[in-house]
Amino acid sequence: MTTTAAPAATAGEAVATGQDALRAAFDAAVAEDTRIEPRDWMPDAYRATLVRQMAQHAHSEIIGMQPEANWITRAPSLRRKAILMAKVQDEAGHGLYLYSATETLGVGRDELLDKLHAGRQRYSSIFNYPTLTWADVGAIGWLVDGAAITNQVPLCRCSYGPYARAMVRICKEESFHQRQGYELLLALSRGTAAQHAMAQDAVNRWWWPSLMMFGPPDDESAHSAQSMAWKIKRHSNDELRQRFVDICVPQAEVLGLTLPDPDLRWNESRGAHDYGEIDWSEFQEVLRGNGPCNEERINRRRAAHDNGAWVREAATAYAAKHGEAQA
Amino acid sequence: MTAQPQSTPAPPPSGTTSGTAPGSVSVAAPRPVRAAAPAALALGDDALVLAQRLGEWAGNAPVLEEDVALTNIALDLLGQARTLLSLVGDEDELAFGREEHEFRNVQLVERPNGDFAETIARQLFFSVHQELLFTALAAGDSALAPLAAKAVKEVAYHRDHAERWTLRLGDGTEESHRRMQDAVDGLWRYTGELFEPLDGLDVDLAGLRAPWLERVTAVLGRATLEVPQGADRTPWAAGAGRQGVHTEAFGRMLAEMQHLHRAHPGASW
Amino acid sequence: MTGQTSGDWPLWEVFVRSRRGLSHSHAGSLHAPDAEMALRNARDLYTRRAEGVSIWVVPSSAVTASSPDEKDPFFESAADKPYRHPTFYEIPEGVKHL
């Protein structure tokens, strides 16, 4: 490239001008709601935020398989067994869609899984709670998936194209997840006294952790403001939490179950439900790794990966021997 | 047959079946379901028990893509089981209400998952058999023909999956070769039972043994694996599942599968 | 590939024809040891709900993309040829089938 050689100072200026132009193009794309695509220039912090969020989201899908898979072998009817299997399978699929979205930023799945296994990347804390009864499968579908959907629907319009597209697919597929959970709880609630009690107990245990899924209050959320500006995030934590509470209250009534919050009531002046204080110390504890199942979940995940190493190696060796295309 | 077993659905109008002329298969009504019930129960149990075993893999597969693939297969099998058991009675009563000795599945499908090689060997042996059987059934006019016609496509994919992995494990690394050979050897003695005659089935199961062996031998050969020389059945270990004699592991599997349903008699879910 | 341990599988891009009469479109990516497995994994992952009738898989490393730097020379010339679009032409009212 000798012909384009230029005095150092001029080249530096050119780079600076180029950077400004690129940043301006990026800002304009975000402002105009045209998507940012993988090969576009983007600020390093934007890229890092995306990778962190998509990885955490993917890990949550994968770890999230465990509490529900816990009941596949014990599902009380063949119909429920088929539904639960299909749902847990979807979660593996959703994890794969999201890892695939991170690949567009040059971050491989193996790298992310290594970080997950080493405890250097997080997944949603909700999956560190145990599924103690069959009704928990219903409560997860109704409340946990409900909260997830409330969080995720706005992500379908996220500024990063591959993430937004993965979310469109995921939201479409997840629509059955919440319904099956609700239907499951309804059957229990209207069933025998023992079944009803099982359903109420599950809702009691999952309600507060579900509210925590929206993250810390807006004034304490570390990443919120920047993510909102970049349109990676579209609504604040508290806004989405409120939306979720307002949706759940009438649904609980139809279920014939109560939500475990004595302070929960309609506030006419706000046009929304007031709800009680969330115990953020519990949230922080679980986040720090002291939840009921943190260790179990990650150990199980690691074991599956480690026990499968020889299988993955075998397939690689076979491909090499048989001259298949190597990417 | 004037007294009708309570769990058997009413047969279709009589006089539509026996003596059906060859060539009119597609328009003939299926023979009374009752005749096929013992076979439907046995094949339904095969599918149910294998689906239950594959369900244990969820979240534990060697790679996420296999979590998805194994669940697909489990869901197909569960669907087959539900159709087959519903021909005999209430699917849930049958799945959750029977004791060990009342199950009629072959012992092969109840064998524990073991490592991935054992699961794949079990899949290979069973899916090659199921594909041959369903192909034959689909061509007939029994009450099982419609199910077989649909399931044979699913099963072809299961067989394809098992074959691909048999090749990769057999002809992969030294370790995978050893594990796959061990798995094939270990499960071999459960394969003979697949060809025992089955009441209510108008397919010559013994006649499927030769094509089964031919196909399995071909796959094992391509995978650089040895076809086991040992017996494909032993007096206790294989050949008895169809009579309700099962292995120790089966009792534990059923206990886990049935306990919740049984803890709430009469409840609906 | 450098940096890959022996157990890591390469990345493949997946294209799905959702029904007859439509072209294949990009669905996402996945990992697989070889093309044969990539096809099967794609079938399981991207067509669980009967979303496809045909699948292509391509090693991600085999895709050559236009770089954003080339955006202008690549696409601008197309943008200034409005006469390629039917709305460029004025047709007297009442003329049909045109």
Side-chain angles (χ1 to χ4, degrees):
Chain A
M1 297 289 258
T2 48
T3 54
T4 55
T10 319
E13 264 168 45
V15 168
T17 321
Q19 283 284 354
D20 288 346
L22 290 170
R23 179 175 290 276
F26 171 85
D27 289 342
V30 171
E32 289 163 17
D33 267 340
T34 55
R35 298 282 183 265
I36 305 298
E37 293 296 341
R39 291 163 64 83
D40 290 341
W41 182 90
M42 59 188 85
D44 289 342
Y46 176 84
R47 178 186 298 268
T49 300
L50 275 174
V51 170
R52 181 177 53 79
Q53 186 174 331
M54 290 193 291
Q56 180 171 333
H57 195 162
H59 297 333
S60 301
E61 296 280 358
I62 300 310
I63 297 285
M65 294 167 71
Q66 289 184 35
E68 292 182 275
N70 185 34
W71 284 93
I72 285 181
T73 55
R74 293 178 287 171
S77 75
L78 296 186
R79 174 173 174 270
R80 292 285 175 201
K81 193 189 288 288
I83 292 169
L84 186 55
M85 272 187 186
K87 177 169 191 277
V88 172
Q89 183 193 41
D90 271 352
E91 276 148 19
H94 296 170
L96 287 171
Y97 299 159
L98 289 161
Y99 286 125
S100 155
T102 64
E103 305 264 9
T104 62
L105 293 174
V107 182
R109 191 214 302 180
D110 296 292
E111 184 186 332
L112 296 177
L113 284 177
D114 286 346
K115 284 186 179 159
L116 170 68
H117 298 154
R120 286 191 289 130
Q121 276 183 343
R122 287 189 168 138
Y123 55 89
S124 177
S125 285
I126 193 82
F127 301 118
N128 290 319
Y129 291 89
T131 48
L132 302 176
T133 71
W134 170 250
D136 290 29
V137 172
I140 288 184
W142 177 43
L143 296 174
V144 175
D145 290 334
I149 290 169
T150 310
N151 266 328
Q152 288 170 1
V153 166
L155 286 175
C156 298
R157 296 186 298 120
C158 158
S159 61
Y160 186 58
Y163 193 19
R165 289 192 286 276
M167 290 316 303
V168 168
R169 204 180 178 99
I170 289 171
C171 286
K172 212 187 280 177
E173 297 188 352
E174 284 212 337
S175 52
F176 101 77
H177 293 185
Q178 195 189 10
R179 276 176 169 244
Q180 67 82 33
Y182 192 81
E183 188 208 62
L184 191 163
L185 284 178
L186 194 64
L188 293 180
S189 179
R190 294 179 178 176
T192 65
Q195 285 178 308
H196 182 90
M198 193 194 282
Q200 184 63 60
D201 165 65
V203 169
N204 291 349
R205 281 181 292 111
W206 288 93
W207 172 249
W208 290 107
S210 300
L211 292 190
M212 295 179 200
M213 284 177 70
F214 295 93
D218 293 345
D219 46 7
E220 292 165 29
S221 176
H223 306 288
S224 276
Q226 181 61 74
S227 289
M228 298 267 288
W230 276 331
K231 296 188 181 171
I232 291 175
K233 209 173 156 155
R234 291 283 185 161
H235 304 278
S236 79
N237 294 350
D238 288 332
E239 219 174 290
L240 291 171
R241 189 166 13 242
Q242 181 69 56
R243 188 181 295 178
F244 178 69
V245 170
D246 291 336
I247 288 172
C248 285
V249 170
Q251 290 177 347
E253 275 167 29
V254 176
L255 277 178
L257 298 172
T258 57
L259 297 171
D261 179 359
D263 298 323
L264 187 67
R265 64 179 56 85
W266 178 252
N267 181 328
E268 192 64 51
S269 63
R270 286 205 308 129
H273 290 86
D274 291 338
Y275 53 93
E277 197 72 32
I278 294 173
D279 180 4
W280 290 107
S281 63
E282 175 183 321
F283 178 78
Q284 294 301 339
E285 274 304 297
V286 179
L287 208 59
R288 266 196 288 275
N290 300 325
C293 304
N294 296 53
E295 212 169 318
E296 262 171 86
R297 299 288 187 244
I298 210 69
N299 286 347
R300 169 103 180 268
R301 180 62 226 138
R302 220 182 274 143
H305 190 75
D306 293 348
N307 294 338
W310 68 272
V311 176
R312 298 191 298 276
E313 282 159 18
T316 303
Y318 179 88
K321 272 187 227 179
H322 293 267
E324 292 277 2
Q326 289 286 293
Chain B
M1 289 288 255
T2 46
Q4 196 175 304
Q6 52 150 7
S7 61
T8 306
S14 59
T16 52
T17 52
S18 56
T20 302
S24 64
V25 169
S26 58
V27 289
R31 249 186 254 166
V33 169
R34 200 186 307 162
L41 187 67
L43 300 182
D45 285 350
D46 283 351
L48 173 63
V49 171
L50 189 53
Q52 174 77 7
R53 281 296 187 208
L54 290 176
E56 295 171 12
W57 272 107
N60 295 311
V63 64
L64 290 168
E65 280 82 356
E66 276 310 300
D67 267 305
V68 178
L70 291 172
T71 311
N72 260 355
I73 296 171
L75 281 170
D76 285 344
L77 289 166
L78 191 52
Q80 293 168 16
R82 295 181 65 189
T83 306
L84 286 162
L85 294 181
S86 297
L87 290 174
V88 182
D90 178 85
E91 61 177 34
D92 286 334
E93 256 173 58
L94 288 165
F96 299 100
R98 281 180 299 160
E99 301 289 331
E100 224 177 306
H101 65 88
E102 295 170 284
F103 277 78
R104 289 290 178 269
N105 55 284
V106 289
Q107 292 183 355
L108 175 67
V109 294
E110 74 198 37
R111 299 307 300 148
N113 286 338
D115 66 7
F116 190 65
E118 287 172 77
T119 289
I120 291 300
R122 191 181 61 197
Q123 283 303 112
L124 178 72
F125 294 157
F126 187 70
S127 61
V128 170
H129 163 75
Q130 240 194 344
E131 190 180 11
L132 290 166
L133 171 59
F134 284 173
T135 304
L137 266 178
D141 65 346
S142 81
L144 306 184
L147 167 276
K150 173 176 179 289
V152 75
K153 292 177 214 146
E154 299 168 351
V155 171
Y157 190 78
H158 305 172
R159 191 255 311 140
D160 176 75
H161 175 267
E163 271 185 24
R164 277 179 290 124
W165 273 113
T166 302
L167 294 178
R168 279 156 184 82
L169 298 182
D171 195 13
T173 63
E174 239 172 77
E175 181 184 7
S176 70
H177 179 87
R178 175 180 54 76
R179 285 178 184 258
M180 193 63 209
Q181 186 68 58
D182 286 351
V184 165
D185 292 347
L187 288 173
W188 193 252
R189 65 193 170 126
Y190 296 99
T191 58
E193 187 176 10
L194 295 169
F195 311 103
E196 296 288 332
L198 186 52
D199 196 21
L201 195 68
D202 51 5
V203 170
D204 171 24
L205 281 171
L208 299 183
R209 176 132 212 292
W212 181 88
L213 190 59
E214 191 185 319
R215 290 181 188 203
V216 168
T217 301
V219 177
L220 294 181
R222 283 173 61 212
T224 73
L225 295 163
E226 305 276 337
V227 178
Q229 293 306 305
D232 69 0
R233 71 194 76 199
T234 56
W236 180 271
R242 295 283 189 229
Q243 272 81 53
V245 178
H246 295 280
T247 56
E248 284 184 351
F250 185 57
R252 281 193 298 278
M253 192 208 86
L254 271 196
E256 181 175 342
M257 183 173 99
Q258 296 179 335
H259 92 88
L260 177 59
H261 183 96
R262 287 183 175 223
H264 299 263
S268 48
W269 302 92
Chain C
M1 274 178 99
T2 53
Q4 281 199 344
T5 63
S6 60
D8 296 352
W9 293 345
L11 189 67
W12 301 76
E13 299 300 323
V14 179
F15 300 82
V16 177
R17 184 199 295 287
S18 54
R19 57 185 166 83
R20 304 183 73 83
L22 295 180
S23 55
H24 288 76
S25 57
H26 188 236
S29 65
L30 51 73
H31 287 267
D34 53 51
E36 200 186 34
M37 295 295 273
L39 264 185
R40 268 59 168 213
N41 290 349
R43 177 254 195 200
D44 287 337
L45 182 59
Y46 288 104
T47 65
R48 289 200 301 291
R49 289 172 170 78
E51 298 100 328
V53 295
S54 164
I55 297 174
W56 291 345
V57 291
V58 181
S60 303
S61 60
V63 174
T64 307
S66 64
S67 96
D69 297 350
E70 296 160 6
K71 206 189 279 173
D72 294 353
F74 242 65
F75 303 112
E76 291 249 315
S77 70
D80 71 354
K81 293 183 181 63
Y83 47 82
R84 284 189 189 276
H85 301 278
T87 48
F88 181 75
Y89 304 94
E90 271 180 47
I91 301 293
E93 238 171 86
V95 177
K96 287 177 182 168
H97 307 297
L98 199 69

